Each structure stands twice: as C-alpha cells, then as structure tokens.
Amino acid sequence: MWNPELVDEDSAALGAALGRVLDALADGGRALIVGHSPTNEAAVFGLTGQIVSPISKGAGVLLVADDQGFRLETLD
C-alpha cells in the first residue's frame, strides 16, 4: 500500500545523507554513488525535490551544485 508520509520521511533522510556526502567533498570534488535500488532516486528527490526516473544498471545522474542549488544531468 502507498504511504506518502513514509515516502516523504525516507526521501528526506536519504537526501540528508546525500547532502552530507556532498558537503564533505573538497571544492571541485566528485562522488560516485552506485547501486541498483530505488534509494538512489529517493535520495536525489529528498535533496533536490526533483523526481528522477528509475536509474538502470550502468546508468546514473550527475548532480552539480551551484549558487542556485543543484542541477541534474542524466548519464547513460
């Protein structure tokens, strides 16, 4: 059964964890986060508020931080 509150809570927690990873990077640094699980999409949503389509094996998204927030680019 769909539970919107649980989705919001989990996405927020995963987004916060992703934010901590990004905060730990040096200027110009990069992090590669891999996996084949909906938690990656939920983390991006929790951090940026942007919905990411399911990421298939071998694909990904590039999350770029700038003065306005984050920009997402698809990696195929």
Side-chain angles (χ1 to χ4, degrees):
M1 174 172 271
W2 170 256
N3 185 335
E5 290 177 12
L6 179 62
V7 170
D8 287 343
E9 291 172 10
D10 284 354
S11 294
L14 292 164
L18 180 56
R20 288 190 298 275
V21 169
L22 298 175
D23 288 343
L25 295 174
D27 286 345
R30 293 176 168 224
L32 176 63
I33 300 169
V34 296
H36 186 59
S37 153
T39 57
N40 294 333
E41 292 89 340
V44 170
F45 175 74
L47 182 65
T48 68
Q50 295 179 288
I51 295 175
V52 177
S53 297
I55 302 170
S56 63
K57 288 183 180 180
V61 295
L62 177 63
L63 185 60
V64 180
D66 59 27
D67 294 336
Q68 287 75 41
F70 297 97
R71 181 179 75 250
L72 287 172
E73 297 177 11
T74 303
L75 302 175
D76 295 314

